[in-house]
Amino acid sequence: MTALTPNVPSHEGLDRLASRYVEVDALSWQPTKFLGVEFKTLLIDPDTGMLTSLVRMAPGSVLPDHEHIQIEQTYVLEGRLLDEDGEVSSGNFVWRPAGSRHAAHAPDGALLIGIFMKPNRFFHDDGSETDMLGRDYDKTWR
């Protein structure tokens, strides 16, 4: 098993089939490459890229042009998230098909739960393609 919640000492030494309880308030917010966007990793499988995260977007923050390599699921806990297809508001859910591409913004801020089968690929003006942390996409996830 390679899935884990980073930096949770109580998970060390657990049987491989034991439940992993996560005190979300005890996890620290991690910055991304994108101004005003930070996250808490609830679960990640470093081998496959499967990821469940809590994402906090400050008012006016933007997730720039990116592709969903596999299906992406987003549940909005607070605020709203907009893109060229529409808006998802607090208490609502959106999922996006594999291969879809867009930019999303949170004009008033947002708190989201994101579930990714593989991390998003972000496209930059200089031609580079990275994951949310700014790592070269192909070198990290191929």
Side-chain angles (χ1 to χ4, degrees):
M1 180 175 88
T2 60
L4 60 107
T5 301
N7 305 313
V8 179
S10 64
H11 290 185
E12 294 172 15
L14 288 177
D15 181 82
R16 70 179 190 85
L17 297 179
S19 298
R20 271 60 175 175
Y21 295 94
V22 178
E23 293 182 39
V24 176
D25 286 344
L27 299 176
S28 60
W29 287 102
Q30 302 295 312
T32 68
K33 184 175 176 147
F34 313 115
L35 186 64
V37 180
E38 50 193 0
F39 69 100
K40 292 184 179 193
T41 300
L42 304 178
L43 174 131
I44 187 166
D45 184 328
D47 290 344
T48 66
M50 182 176 67
L51 171 69
T52 302
S53 63
L54 194 59
V55 180
R56 183 167 65 181
M57 298 178 70
S61 60
V62 175
L63 282 172
D65 183 24
H66 61 279
E67 177 186 5
H68 302 286
I69 304 303
Q70 296 293 329
I71 290 174
E72 178 215 49
Q73 303 174 67
T74 302
Y75 180 78
V76 178
L77 297 165
E78 298 173 5
R80 58 195 180 114
L81 191 63
L82 287 80
D83 70 4
E84 57 273 12
D85 288 339
E87 174 181 331
V88 59
S89 58
S90 180
N92 290 299
F93 175 81
V94 61
W95 68 272
R96 301 176 197 284
S100 64
R101 186 170 167 174
H102 71 134
H105 64 282
D108 309 313
L111 183 63
L112 326 161
I113 293 178
I115 301 169
F116 309 88
M117 300 311 295
K118 193 160 191 170
N120 293 333
R121 178 189 298 266
F122 288 87
F123 301 94
H124 305 284
D125 291 340
D126 65 3
S128 64
E129 298 177 7
T130 67
D131 66 9
M132 193 173 198
L133 297 177
R135 299 175 297 194
D136 179 272
Y137 195 91
D138 289 331
K139 287 181 182 174
T140 306
W141 298 111
R142 292 270 178 189

